[in-house]
């Protein structure tokens, strides 16, 4: 696909660019970026109207539910939600039914993504068979089938010996391990963050130490094996300190944070709204501030949504019975523009970096920049668009969000994948991703 994007403010953190420019995509790849480009005759064009033109955003932590739980989400609906939210590429976790621990499941996901998806889909294979934590999955087979990383996300790999062996095998295939860092013996039965609020509400808490113990262990194993560990959904101040210290020593460890752990605290659970129940749980104000600082200084490399769609029946129950997680693909960018950039927690270039080059480097994905030859994926932002989050308008099959009714200023205006416009002004087009 060929496309010229003109009249935009191009921000490409990977190349240190923030200037008025045009972006030319030829045959689905970035050809050139600069002022007043010469283009082939009859090249279609998009007028960005002075809006911000960035590399296509990536979300490296998404649960698509297909195969097995299509009543919650499908690859078709999940990728349409991604496009609506400004994401041109997503990586999907292995906790489908059956678990993505074999080539057959990976092949199914990639085939469905080609047939039904509207953005790029990168599968993540399981670390252990059936996410059981007892024996390794066929890591080589999963890599050959196209998995970009390994993770039992949703569950920790509790055995340190098994995780060490996984890291040693994963190193041979050049794929990182994505860690759900949680000591299950400490977290077991917990409903929310352990602290003043949980005591006040009489709800069983999950101590911050449940996360921090495993982050410390994962760092030690990364240091021992020399192979990359990526810590998913970091949520505590001490976990941030551990990551910062490890990175200063050159340990190959990276981290991500979710918008909800940047914007909400455990006080949100005073509503008893199960849409605020998640794993790891919403933490205290000090933890939120630490995660924000770590995102700004680069200790945390990426923002990831941990998009976790659920049916109403999974959430409209008592808190201790409710499923963990919220949907995030369609709210993340608008919330970050409103509450991180406008409130000067991050500058706009840093936010874009945490949504593009940061996640691309963690999983070694193509894209994340507008370097000539890169995939022709672009996200265009309207920084002035005012709107209210309305789950009834989601493309996702699920509605589980605590951000219902939040007023935002700024939103994705267009999503382009391989030179093809898949979302314009909030409307997602139907069709294969590439």
């Amino acid at each position: 696909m060929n496309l010229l994007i003109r009249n935009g403010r191009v921000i490409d953190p990977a190349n240190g660019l923030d200037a008025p420019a045009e972006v030319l995509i030829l045959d689905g790849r970035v050809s050139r970026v600069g002022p007043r480009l010469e283009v082939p005759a009859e090249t279609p064009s998009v007028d960005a109207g002075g809006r911000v033109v960035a590399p296509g955003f990536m979300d490296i932590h998404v649960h698509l539910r297909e195969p097995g739980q299509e009543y919650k989400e499908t690859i078709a609906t999940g990728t349409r939600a991604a496009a609506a939210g400004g994401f041109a590429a997503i990586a999907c976790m292995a906790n489908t039914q059956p678990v993505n621990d074999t080539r057959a499941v990976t092949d199914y996901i990639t085939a469905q993504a080609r047939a039904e998806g509207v953005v790029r889909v990168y599968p993540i294979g399981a670390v252990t068979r059936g996410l059981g934590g007892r024996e390794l999955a066929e890591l080589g087979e999963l890599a050959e089938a196209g998995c970009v990383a390994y993770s039992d996300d949703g569950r920790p790999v509790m055995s340190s010996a098994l995780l060490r062996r996984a890291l040693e095998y994963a190193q041979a295939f050049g794929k990182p391990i994505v860690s759900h860092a949680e000591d299950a013996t400490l977290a077991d039965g917990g409903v929310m963050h352990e602290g003043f609020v949980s005591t006040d509400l009489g709800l069983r808490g999950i101590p911050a130490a449940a996360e921090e113990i495993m982050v410390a262990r994962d760092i030690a194993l990364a240091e021992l094996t020399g192979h990359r560990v990526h810590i998913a959904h970091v949520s505590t101040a001490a976990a941030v300190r551990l990551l910062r210290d490890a990175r200063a020593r050159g340990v190959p460890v990276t981290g991500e944070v979710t918008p909800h752990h940047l914007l909400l605290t455990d006080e949100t659970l005073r509503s008893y709204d199960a849409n605020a129940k998640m794993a790891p749980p919403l933490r205290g104000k000090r933890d939120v501030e630490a995660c924000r600082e770590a995102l700004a200084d680069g200790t945390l490399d990426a923002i990831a949504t941990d998009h976790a769609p659920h049916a109403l029946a999974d959430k409209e129950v008592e808190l201790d019975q409710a499923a963990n997680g919220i949907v995030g693909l369609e709210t993340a960018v608008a919330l970050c523009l409103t509450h991180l950039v406008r409130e000067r927690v991050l500058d706009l270039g840093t936010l874009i970096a945490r949504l593009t080059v940061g996640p691309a480097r963690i999983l070694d994905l193509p894209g994340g920049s507008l370097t000539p030859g890169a995939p022709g994926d672009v996200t265009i932002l309207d920084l002035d668009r005012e709107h209210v989050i309305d789950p009834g308008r989601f493309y996702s099959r699920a509605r589980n969000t605590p951000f219902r009714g939040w007023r935002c200023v700024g939103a994705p205006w267009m999503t382009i994948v391989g030179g093809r416009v898949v979302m314009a002004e909030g409307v997602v087009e139907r069709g294969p991703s590439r």
Side-chain angles (χ1 to χ4, degrees):
M1 297 289 290
N2 297 343
L3 186 69
L4 175 67
I5 304 166
R6 50 190 175 81
N7 193 24
R9 172 190 170 191
V10 177
I11 301 180
D12 179 9
N15 288 302
L17 177 62
D18 183 349
E22 297 180 340
V23 177
L24 177 62
I25 299 171
L26 295 179
D27 296 327
R29 293 190 171 274
V30 176
S31 175
R32 280 171 288 159
V33 178
R36 298 182 181 179
L37 299 176
E38 291 187 8
V39 302
E42 300 184 357
T43 298
S45 68
V46 165
D47 184 349
R51 297 177 178 87
V52 170
V53 177
F57 291 173
M58 298 177 163
D59 186 348
I60 57 172
H61 191 152
V62 171
H63 299 272
L64 284 178
R65 307 303 190 198
E66 184 179 7
Q69 292 183 304
E70 288 83 355
Y71 67 98
K72 294 185 177 185
E73 193 78 286
T74 66
I75 290 171
T77 59
T79 57
R80 287 164 69 80
F87 292 99
I90 58 177
C92 58
M93 290 296 175
N95 59 343
T96 49
Q97 295 179 3
V99 169
N100 184 15
D101 59 3
T102 65
R103 176 190 291 273
V105 178
T106 306
D107 286 347
Y108 175 84
I109 291 170
T110 54
Q112 279 295 95
R114 282 194 297 271
E116 302 289 340
V118 295
V119 304
R120 300 179 194 275
V121 176
Y122 297 103
I124 293 176
V127 178
T128 67
R129 291 184 188 275
L131 309 183
R134 296 184 176 179
E135 57 180 328
L136 292 182
E138 295 292 343
L139 303 187
E141 177 182 293
L142 291 170
E144 289 176 2
C147 288
V148 296
Y150 308 106
S151 181
D152 280 4
D153 185 63
R155 301 180 187 179
V157 178
M158 286 298 295
S159 166
S160 300
L162 192 62
L163 187 61
R164 174 187 179 174
R165 203 181 320 150
L167 283 162
E168 291 168 345
Y169 278 110
Q171 192 164 28
F173 308 113
K175 310 296 181 187
I177 299 285
V178 179
S179 172
H180 177 108
E182 179 184 54
D183 186 316
T185 63
L186 275 177
D188 186 39
V191 174
M192 63 178 297
H193 173 63
E194 182 178 289
F196 175 80
V197 180
S198 66
T199 302
D200 197 32
L201 297 179
L203 294 173
R204 187 167 179 175
I206 301 171
E211 177 172 323
E212 293 149 4
I213 288 169
M214 297 298 266
V215 170
R217 181 206 64 170
D218 293 345
I219 289 170
L221 292 175
E223 200 161 15
L224 174 66
T225 63
H227 190 52
R228 292 178 292 156
V229 172
H230 174 66
I231 308 296
H233 41 52
V234 173
S235 71
T236 81
V240 165
R241 286 197 300 273
L242 289 164
L243 276 170
R244 187 174 286 125
D245 292 346
R247 289 169 68 105
R249 297 198 310 276
V251 180
V253 62
T254 53
E256 69 184 35
V257 63
T258 71
H260 44 275
H261 288 114
L262 293 167
L263 302 181
L264 302 175
T265 70
D266 54 351
E267 291 283 348
T268 310
L269 259 294
R270 289 192 182 278
S271 66
Y272 289 94
D273 179 2
N275 287 323
K277 183 188 177 190
M278 46 201 80
L282 299 174
R283 304 292 189 182
K285 185 177 179 181
R286 185 172 60 89
D287 298 302
V288 170
E289 290 173 350
C291 287
R292 287 180 166 205
E293 291 170 5
L295 190 66
D297 71 19
T299 300
L300 294 174
D301 308 75
I303 294 172
T305 67
D306 193 6
H307 178 79
H310 289 293
L312 281 176
D314 299 316
K315 284 291 192 180
E316 290 189 341
V317 293
E318 294 179 357
L319 273 178
D320 58 348
Q321 301 297 317
N324 288 311
I326 67 170
V327 290
L329 286 168
E330 292 172 80
T331 59
V333 173
L335 288 168
C336 290
L337 287 171
T338 304
H339 296 285
L340 298 182
V341 175
R342 283 189 171 266
E343 295 178 11
R344 300 182 185 278
V345 176
L346 298 178
D347 60 68
L348 181 59
T350 301
L351 174 65
I352 291 173
R354 305 294 182 259
L355 291 165
T356 56
V357 63
R361 287 175 178 167
I362 290 168
L363 298 188
D364 290 332
L365 300 179
S369 79
L370 295 175
T371 302
D377 299 351
V378 172
T379 299
I380 303 178
L381 301 174
D382 182 343
L383 300 183
D384 299 319
R385 184 190 165 210
E386 298 184 20
H387 63 109
V388 174
I389 292 175
D390 176 6
R393 299 174 65 86
F394 284 174
Y395 281 92
S396 172
R397 188 162 281 183
R399 302 289 181 265
N400 49 303
T401 175
F403 296 112
R404 177 192 299 270
W406 281 43
R407 186 172 298 277
C408 294
V409 181
W413 182 72
M414 184 171 286
T415 307
I416 297 166
V417 179
R420 187 169 67 87
V421 176
V422 298
M423 184 278 284
E425 298 187 68
V427 179
V428 178
E429 296 187 6
R430 185 75 176 170
S433 58
R434 54 193 179 279

